[in-house]
Amino acid sequence: IIDRAQDMIRRGGQLMALTVTFDAKNFTESRVKAWKGYGKALSRLMKELRRKYKCEYISVLESTNKGYPHAHIVLAFEKGTIPYYDKLKNKTKIKYGELFNVVKKFAPARKFHLEVIKGNATAFYLVKYIAKGEKKDIFELLKKDDHLTKDERKLLQCLLYCTACETRQIRMSEKIYFDDSVKSDTKEKI
């Protein structure tokens, strides 16, 4: 994943970070239905972004404190796709434009953040979410006598819900080289 993020940077595309916070009001029946519905809705969003912009993505799911899904996504677009991109600074929040409207229409939540990421911030953005549970042994957590920390609970919730809903915590599109030889119907790699 780090290699893929660095490849995105090397190719000089336009990079955006998209964080989609799940709206629990949409799925009040159960968290399992929320995770299943969220996964499907997130796939629709990615499919639409890829269809419209031929973008590449890497996404990481995690659990909120209440056990609902939350996604961190890096989107890579061919240089020139987002006309105002070069005028924006790193971490500038996007609150207008065609891309914003597409995300707003297809995002599985009303609350989301779309922001510019430039340079090495891309790799850091992804790695901090992927590495959160890297050093934790989940089987040791289950044997723990005292209370779990907030991060430990979130880690276990994410693992359990991803397993129960047969969804992946990390997803990425197949590589797109932003040239005429690449077909726009590249399938999702899971």
Side-chain angles (χ1 to χ4, degrees), residues 68-90:
Y68 288 100
H70 180 75
H72 300 277
I73 307 161
V74 170
L75 302 168
F77 302 91
E78 183 176 9
K79 193 169 179 81
T81 302
I82 313 300
Y84 46 85
Y85 180 87
D86 291 334
K87 296 175 184 169
L88 301 172
K89 294 180 180 178
N90 196 29

Side-chain angles (χ1 to χ4, degrees), residues 116-128:
V116 172
I117 47 176
K118 294 184 178 183
N120 291 328
T122 308
F124 177 74
Y125 177 81
L126 284 171
V127 171
K128 72 179 177 182

Side-chain angles (χ1 to χ4, degrees), residues 13 28 35 41 49 70 87 94 104 108 116 121 124 146 151 166 168 174 188:
T28 55
W35 279 79
L49 288 171
H70 180 75
K87 296 175 184 169
I94 308 299
K104 185 177 180 180
V116 172
F124 177 74
D146 52 340
D151 286 339
E166 298 177 345
R168 302 281 181 165
E174 289 184 10
E188 179 179 277

Side-chain angles (χ1 to χ4, degrees), residues 35 63 138-139 153-165 167 169:
W35 279 79
S63 178
I138 59 160
F139 297 106
R153 278 194 313 277
K154 287 170 60 174
L155 176 67
L156 285 174
Q157 287 171 341
C158 185
L159 174 68
L160 290 171
Y161 285 118
C162 283
T163 303
C165 299
T167 190
Q169 182 183 12

Side-chain angles (χ1 to χ4, degrees), residues 134-160:
E134 181 184 26
K135 303 238 189 259
K136 298 283 184 184
D137 179 346
I138 59 160
F139 297 106
E140 289 302 316
L141 288 179
L142 296 173
K143 296 176 190 175
K144 195 173 171 183
D145 287 335
D146 52 340
H147 293 288
L148 297 174
T149 67
K150 179 175 72 170
D151 286 339
E152 290 169 339
R153 278 194 313 277
K154 287 170 60 174
L155 176 67
L156 285 174
Q157 287 171 341
C158 185
L159 174 68
L160 290 171

